[in-house]
Each structure stands twice: as C-alpha cells, then as structure tokens.
Coordinates of all heavy atoms in Angstrom, one line a residue:
M1 N 9.7 -10.9 0.2 CA 8.6 -10.1 0.7 C 8.8 -9.8 2.1 O 9.3 -10.6 2.9 CB 7.3 -10.9 0.5 CG 6.9 -11.1 -1.0 SD 6.7 -9.6 -2.0 CE 5.1 -9.2 -1.4
E2 N 8.4 -8.7 2.5 CA 8.6 -8.2 3.9 C 7.5 -8.8 4.8 O 6.4 -8.9 4.4 CB 8.4 -6.7 3.8 CG 8.6 -6.0 5.2 CD 8.4 -4.5 5.1 OE1 8.1 -4.0 4.0 OE2 8.4 -3.8 6.1
E3 N 7.9 -9.2 6.0 CA 7.0 -9.7 6.9 C 7.0 -8.9 8.2 O 8.1 -8.6 8.7 CB 7.3 -11.2 7.2 CG 7.0 -12.1 6.0 CD 7.2 -13.6 6.3 OE1 7.5 -13.9 7.5 OE2 7.0 -14.4 5.4
K4 N 5.9 -8.6 8.8 CA 5.8 -7.9 10.0 C 4.9 -8.6 11.0 O 4.0 -9.3 10.6 CB 5.2 -6.5 9.8 CG 6.0 -5.6 8.8 CD 5.3 -4.3 8.5 CE 6.1 -3.5 7.6 NZ 5.4 -2.2 7.2
K5 N 5.2 -8.4 12.3 CA 4.4 -9.0 13.4 C 3.1 -8.1 13.6 O 3.1 -7.3 14.5 CB 5.2 -9.2 14.6 CG 6.1 -10.4 14.5 CD 5.3 -11.7 14.3 CE 6.3 -12.9 14.1 NZ 5.5 -14.1 13.7
I6 N 2.2 -8.2 12.8 CA 0.9 -7.6 13.0 C -0.2 -8.7 13.1 O -0.1 -9.6 12.3 CB 0.6 -6.6 11.8 CG1 1.7 -5.6 11.7 CG2 -0.8 -6.0 12.0 CD1 1.6 -4.7 10.5
I7 N -1.1 -8.6 14.0 CA -2.1 -9.6 14.1 C -3.3 -9.2 13.2 O -3.8 -8.1 13.2 CB -2.6 -9.7 15.5 CG1 -1.4 -10.0 16.5 CG2 -3.7 -10.8 15.6 CD1 -0.7 -11.3 16.2
C8 N -3.7 -10.1 12.3 CA -4.8 -9.9 11.5 C -6.1 -9.7 12.3 O -6.4 -10.6 13.1 CB -5.0 -11.1 10.5 SG -6.5 -10.9 9.4
P9 N -6.9 -8.7 12.1 CA -8.1 -8.4 12.8 C -9.2 -9.4 12.4 O -10.2 -9.5 13.2 CB -8.4 -7.0 12.5 CG -7.9 -6.7 11.2 CD -6.6 -7.6 11.2
V10 N -9.1 -10.0 11.3 CA -10.2 -10.9 10.8 C -9.9 -12.4 11.3 O -10.8 -13.0 11.9 CB -10.3 -10.9 9.3 CG1 -11.3 -11.9 8.8 CG2 -10.6 -9.4 8.9
C11 N -8.7 -12.9 11.1 CA -8.5 -14.3 11.4 C -7.5 -14.6 12.5 O -7.3 -15.7 12.9 CB -8.1 -15.0 10.1 SG -6.4 -14.7 9.5
G12 N -6.8 -13.5 12.9 CA -5.9 -13.7 14.0 C -4.5 -14.2 13.6 O -3.6 -14.4 14.5
Y13 N -4.3 -14.4 12.4 CA -3.0 -14.9 11.9 C -2.0 -13.7 12.0 O -2.3 -12.5 11.9 CB -3.1 -15.3 10.4 CG -2.1 -16.2 9.9 CD1 -1.8 -17.4 10.5 CD2 -1.4 -15.9 8.7 CE1 -0.9 -18.3 10.0 CE2 -0.4 -16.7 8.2 CZ -0.2 -17.9 8.8 OH 0.8 -18.8 8.3
D14 N -0.7 -14.1 12.2 CA 0.3 -13.1 12.5 C 1.4 -12.9 11.5 O 2.4 -12.4 11.7 CB 0.9 -13.3 13.9 CG 1.7 -14.6 14.0 OD1 1.7 -15.3 13.0 OD2 2.4 -14.8 15.0
V15 N 1.1 -13.5 10.3 CA 2.1 -13.3 9.2 C 1.5 -12.4 8.2 O 0.5 -12.6 7.7 CB 2.5 -14.7 8.6 CG1 3.5 -14.4 7.4 CG2 3.1 -15.6 9.7
M16 N 2.2 -11.3 7.9 CA 1.8 -10.3 7.0 C 2.7 -10.3 5.8 O 3.9 -10.6 5.9 CB 1.8 -8.9 7.6 CG 0.8 -8.7 8.7 SD -0.9 -8.8 8.2 CE -1.6 -9.7 9.6
K17 N 2.2 -10.0 4.6 CA 3.0 -9.8 3.4 C 2.7 -8.4 2.8 O 1.7 -7.8 3.1 CB 2.8 -10.9 2.5 CG 3.2 -12.3 3.0 CD 3.3 -13.3 2.0 CE 3.9 -14.6 2.6 NZ 4.2 -15.7 1.7
S18 N 3.6 -8.0 2.0 CA 3.5 -6.6 1.4 C 3.5 -6.7 -0.1 O 4.1 -7.7 -0.7 CB 4.6 -5.7 1.8 OG 4.6 -5.5 3.2
G19 N 2.8 -5.8 -0.7 CA 2.7 -5.7 -2.2 C 2.4 -4.3 -2.6 O 2.3 -3.4 -1.7
R20 N 2.2 -4.1 -3.8 CA 1.8 -2.8 -4.3 C 0.7 -3.0 -5.3 O 0.5 -4.0 -5.9 CB 3.0 -2.1 -5.0 CG 3.4 -2.8 -6.2 CD 4.6 -2.1 -6.9 NE 4.8 -2.7 -8.2 CZ 5.7 -2.2 -9.1 NH1 6.4 -1.2 -8.8 NH2 5.9 -2.8 -10.2
L21 N -0.1 -1.9 -5.4 CA -1.2 -1.9 -6.4 C -0.5 -1.8 -7.7 O 0.5 -1.0 -7.9 CB -2.1 -0.7 -6.2 CG -2.9 -0.7 -4.8 CD1 -3.8 0.5 -4.8 CD2 -3.6 -2.0 -4.6
N22 N -1.0 -2.5 -8.7 CA -0.3 -2.6 -10.0 C -0.6 -1.2 -10.7 O -1.7 -0.9 -11.0 CB -0.9 -3.7 -10.8 CG -0.1 -4.0 -12.0 OD1 1.1 -4.0 -12.0 ND2 -0.8 -4.4 -13.1
P23 N 0.5 -0.5 -11.1 CA 0.3 0.8 -11.8 C -0.5 0.5 -13.1 O -0.4 -0.5 -13.7 CB 1.8 1.2 -12.2 CG 2.6 0.5 -11.1 CD 1.9 -0.8 -10.8
P24 N -1.3 1.5 -13.5 CA -1.4 2.9 -13.0 C -2.3 3.2 -11.8 O -2.9 4.2 -11.8 CB -1.9 3.6 -14.3 CG -2.8 2.6 -14.9 CD -2.2 1.3 -14.6
A25 N -2.3 2.4 -10.9 CA -3.1 2.6 -9.7 C -2.3 3.5 -8.7 O -1.9 3.1 -7.6 CB -3.5 1.3 -9.0
F26 N -2.1 4.8 -9.1 CA -1.3 5.7 -8.3 C -2.3 6.5 -7.4 O -3.4 6.8 -7.8 CB -0.5 6.7 -9.2 CG 0.6 6.1 -9.9 CD1 0.5 5.9 -11.3 CD2 1.7 5.6 -9.3 CE1 1.5 5.3 -12.0 CE2 2.7 5.1 -10.0 CZ 2.6 4.9 -11.4
V27 N -1.8 7.0 -6.3 CA -2.4 8.1 -5.6 C -1.9 9.4 -6.2 O -0.7 9.5 -6.5 CB -2.0 8.1 -4.1 CG1 -2.5 9.4 -3.4 CG2 -2.6 6.9 -3.4
V28 N -2.8 10.3 -6.6 CA -2.4 11.6 -7.2 C -3.0 12.7 -6.4 O -3.9 12.6 -5.5 CB -3.0 11.7 -8.6 CG1 -2.4 10.6 -9.5 CG2 -4.5 11.6 -8.7
E29 N -2.4 13.9 -6.6 CA -2.8 15.1 -5.9 C -4.3 15.5 -6.2 O -4.8 15.3 -7.3 CB -1.9 16.3 -6.4 CG -2.1 17.5 -5.5 CD -1.1 18.6 -6.0 OE1 -0.8 18.6 -7.2 OE2 -0.7 19.4 -5.2
M30 N -5.0 15.9 -5.2 CA -6.3 16.4 -5.4 C -6.4 17.5 -6.4 O -5.5 18.4 -6.4 CB -6.9 16.8 -4.0 CG -7.1 15.7 -3.0 SD -8.5 14.6 -3.4 CE -9.8 15.6 -2.7
N31 N -7.4 17.5 -7.2 CA -7.7 18.7 -8.1 C -6.6 18.9 -9.1 O -6.4 20.0 -9.6 CB -8.0 20.0 -7.3 CG -9.1 19.8 -6.3 OD1 -10.1 19.1 -6.7 ND2 -8.9 20.3 -5.1
S32 N -5.8 17.9 -9.4 CA -4.7 18.1 -10.4 C -5.1 17.4 -11.7 O -5.5 16.2 -11.7 CB -3.4 17.5 -9.9 OG -2.4 17.5 -10.9
M33 N -4.9 18.1 -12.8 CA -5.2 17.5 -14.1 C -4.0 16.7 -14.7 O -4.1 15.8 -15.4 CB -5.6 18.6 -15.1 CG -7.0 19.2 -14.8 SD -8.3 18.0 -14.9 CE -9.7 19.1 -14.6
L34 N -2.8 17.2 -14.3 CA -1.6 16.6 -14.9 C -1.1 15.4 -14.1 O -0.3 14.6 -14.7 CB -0.5 17.7 -15.0 CG -0.8 18.9 -15.9 CD1 0.3 19.9 -15.7 CD2 -1.0 18.5 -17.3
N35 N -1.5 15.3 -12.9 CA -1.0 14.2 -12.0 C 0.5 14.1 -12.0 O 1.1 13.0 -12.1 CB -1.6 12.9 -12.5 CG -3.1 12.9 -12.4 OD1 -3.7 13.6 -11.5 ND2 -3.8 12.1 -13.1
L36 N 1.2 15.2 -11.9 CA 2.7 15.2 -11.8 C 3.1 14.7 -10.4 O 4.2 14.1 -10.3 CB 3.2 16.6 -12.0 CG 3.0 17.2 -13.4 CD1 3.5 18.6 -13.5 CD2 3.7 16.3 -14.5
K37 N 2.3 15.0 -9.4 CA 2.6 14.5 -8.1 C 1.8 13.2 -7.9 O 0.6 13.2 -7.8 CB 2.2 15.5 -7.0 CG 2.9 16.8 -7.1 CD 2.4 17.7 -6.1 CE 3.1 19.1 -6.2 NZ 2.6 20.1 -5.2
R38 N 2.5 12.1 -8.0 CA 1.8 10.8 -7.8 C 2.8 9.8 -7.2 O 4.0 9.9 -7.2 CB 1.4 10.3 -9.2 CG 2.6 9.9 -10.1 CD 2.0 9.4 -11.4 NE 3.1 8.8 -12.2 CZ 2.9 8.3 -13.4 NH1 1.7 8.3 -14.0 NH2 3.9 7.8 -14.1
S39 N 2.2 8.8 -6.6 CA 3.0 7.8 -5.9 C 2.3 6.5 -6.0 O 1.0 6.4 -6.0 CB 3.1 8.2 -4.4 OG 3.7 7.2 -3.7
E40 N 3.0 5.4 -5.9 CA 2.5 4.1 -5.8 C 1.9 3.9 -4.5 O 2.2 4.6 -3.5 CB 3.6 3.0 -6.0 CG 4.0 2.9 -7.5 CD 5.0 1.7 -7.6 OE1 4.7 0.7 -7.0 OE2 5.9 1.8 -8.4
V41 N 1.0 2.9 -4.3 CA 0.4 2.6 -3.1 C 0.9 1.2 -2.6 O 0.8 0.3 -3.4 CB -1.1 2.6 -3.2 CG1 -1.8 2.2 -1.8 CG2 -1.6 4.0 -3.6
L42 N 1.4 1.1 -1.4 CA 1.9 -0.1 -0.9 C 0.8 -0.7 0.0 O 0.2 0.0 0.8 CB 3.2 0.1 -0.1 CG 4.3 0.7 -0.9 CD1 5.6 0.9 0.0 CD2 4.7 -0.1 -2.2
V43 N 0.6 -2.0 0.0 CA -0.4 -2.6 0.9 C 0.3 -3.7 1.7 O 1.2 -4.3 1.2 CB -1.5 -3.2 0.0 CG1 -2.2 -2.1 -0.7 CG2 -1.1 -4.3 -0.9
T44 N -0.2 -3.9 2.9 CA 0.2 -5.0 3.8 C -1.0 -5.8 4.0 O -2.1 -5.3 4.4 CB 0.8 -4.4 5.1 OG1 1.9 -3.6 4.8 CG2 1.2 -5.6 6.0
F45 N -0.9 -7.1 3.8 CA -2.1 -7.9 3.9 C -1.7 -9.2 4.6 O -0.6 -9.7 4.7 CB -2.6 -8.2 2.5 CG -1.7 -8.9 1.6 CD1 -1.6 -10.2 1.5 CD2 -0.8 -8.1 0.8 CE1 -0.6 -10.8 0.6 CE2 0.1 -8.7 -0.1 CZ 0.2 -10.0 -0.2
C46 N -2.8 -9.8 5.2 CA -2.7 -11.1 5.9 C -2.3 -12.2 4.9 O -2.9 -12.4 3.9 CB -4.0 -11.4 6.6 SG -4.1 -13.0 7.4
A47 N -1.3 -13.0 5.3 CA -0.8 -14.0 4.4 C -1.8 -15.2 4.4 O -1.7 -16.0 3.5 CB 0.6 -14.5 4.9
K48 N -2.7 -15.2 5.3 CA -3.6 -16.4 5.4 C -5.0 -16.0 4.7 O -5.4 -16.8 3.8 CB -3.9 -16.7 6.8 CG -4.7 -18.0 7.0 CD -4.8 -18.4 8.5 CE -5.6 -19.7 8.7 NZ -5.7 -20.0 10.1
C49 N -5.6 -14.9 5.1 CA -6.9 -14.7 4.6 C -7.0 -13.5 3.6 O -8.0 -13.3 2.9 CB -7.9 -14.4 5.7 SG -7.8 -12.8 6.5
G50 N -5.9 -12.8 3.5 CA -5.8 -11.7 2.5 C -6.3 -10.4 2.9 O -6.3 -9.4 2.2
E51 N -6.8 -10.3 4.2 CA -7.3 -9.0 4.7 C -6.2 -7.9 4.6 O -5.1 -8.1 5.0 CB -7.7 -9.1 6.2 CG -8.1 -7.8 6.9 CD -9.5 -7.4 6.5 OE1 -10.2 -8.0 5.7 OE2 -9.9 -6.3 7.0
I52 N -6.5 -6.8 4.0 CA -5.5 -5.7 3.9 C -5.6 -4.9 5.2 O -6.6 -4.3 5.6 CB -5.9 -4.7 2.7 CG1 -5.6 -5.5 1.4 CG2 -5.0 -3.5 2.8 CD1 -6.0 -4.6 0.2
V53 N -4.5 -4.9 5.9 CA -4.4 -4.3 7.3 C -3.8 -2.9 7.2 O -3.9 -2.1 8.1 CB -3.7 -5.1 8.3 CG1 -4.4 -6.4 8.5 CG2 -2.2 -5.3 7.9
S54 N -3.2 -2.6 6.0 CA -2.5 -1.3 5.9 C -2.4 -0.9 4.4 O -2.1 -1.8 3.6 CB -1.1 -1.3 6.5 OG -0.4 -0.1 6.2
M55 N -2.7 0.4 4.1 CA -2.3 0.9 2.8 C -1.5 2.1 3.0 O -1.8 3.0 3.8 CB -3.6 1.3 2.0 CG -4.4 0.0 1.6 SD -5.9 0.5 0.6 CE -5.0 0.9 -1.0
K56 N -0.4 2.3 2.3 CA 0.5 3.4 2.5 C 0.9 4.0 1.2 O 1.2 3.3 0.2 CB 1.7 2.8 3.3 CG 2.8 3.8 3.6 CD 4.0 3.2 4.3 CE 3.6 2.8 5.7 NZ 4.8 2.4 6.5
V57 N 1.0 5.3 1.2 CA 1.6 6.0 0.0 C 3.1 5.9 0.1 O 3.7 6.2 1.1 CB 1.2 7.5 0.1 CG1 1.8 8.3 -1.1 CG2 -0.4 7.7 -0.1
A58 N 3.6 5.3 -1.0 CA 5.1 5.0 -1.0 C 6.0 6.2 -1.0 O 7.0 6.2 -0.4 CB 5.4 4.2 -2.3
E59 N 5.5 7.3 -1.6 CA 6.4 8.5 -1.6 C 5.7 9.8 -1.2 O 5.4 10.6 -2.0 CB 7.0 8.7 -3.0 CG 7.8 7.5 -3.5 CD 7.9 7.4 -5.0 OE1 6.9 7.3 -5.7 OE2 9.1 7.5 -5.5
P60 N 5.3 9.8 0.1 CA 4.5 11.0 0.6 C 5.2 12.3 0.4 O 4.5 13.4 0.4 CB 4.3 10.6 2.1 CG 5.4 9.7 2.4 CD 5.7 8.9 1.2
Y61 N 6.5 12.3 0.4 CA 7.3 13.6 0.3 C 7.0 14.3 -1.1 O 7.4 15.5 -1.3 CB 8.8 13.3 0.4 CG 9.3 12.2 -0.4 CD1 9.7 12.5 -1.7 CD2 9.4 10.9 0.1 CE1 10.2 11.4 -2.5 CE2 9.9 9.9 -0.7 CZ 10.3 10.2 -2.0 OH 10.7 9.1 -2.8
K62 N 6.5 13.6 -2.0 CA 6.2 14.2 -3.3 C 5.0 15.2 -3.3 O 4.9 16.0 -4.1 CB 5.8 13.1 -4.4 CG 7.1 12.4 -4.9 CD 6.6 11.4 -6.0 CE 7.8 10.7 -6.6 NZ 7.4 9.8 -7.7
F63 N 4.2 15.1 -2.2 CA 3.0 15.9 -2.2 C 3.2 17.2 -1.4 O 4.0 17.2 -0.5 CB 1.9 15.1 -1.5 CG 1.4 13.9 -2.4 CD1 2.1 12.8 -2.5 CD2 0.2 14.1 -3.2 CE1 1.8 11.7 -3.4 CE2 -0.2 13.0 -4.0 CZ 0.6 11.9 -4.1
Ligands
LIG101 ZN1 -6.3 -12.9 8.2

C-alpha cells in the first residue's frame, strides 16, 4: 500500500494509506445513460482513525 506524508486533519497522525472504492462504485459522466466513460475512485485515508483526506478519479483522461 502506498504511504504519503500527509497530516490527518482529525487526529494528527502522519501515516496515510490508499485504497479504492469497491466496483461498481465508479464515477461516471454526467447525464450519460450508458456510462461508457467511467473510472474507479481512489481514496487516501488516515491509517489511524480512517479519515478520508483525499478522493481521486483514477482515470480522469477518460472524461
Ligand atoms: Zn486520523
């Protein structure tokens, strides 16, 4: 798992871990019925308290 030096705004811990939302939790294009443009969402969270400090679209170039 990836670790970054980001300070948790809730508990002050400085170890972060990354994960992804379990599919089918994709980000999809607005107003699209077919959802051809979609991407997983990656999250970075505090290893101690679990606060999510970042959510990122994994493949923004698809949009
Ligand atoms: Zn924390």
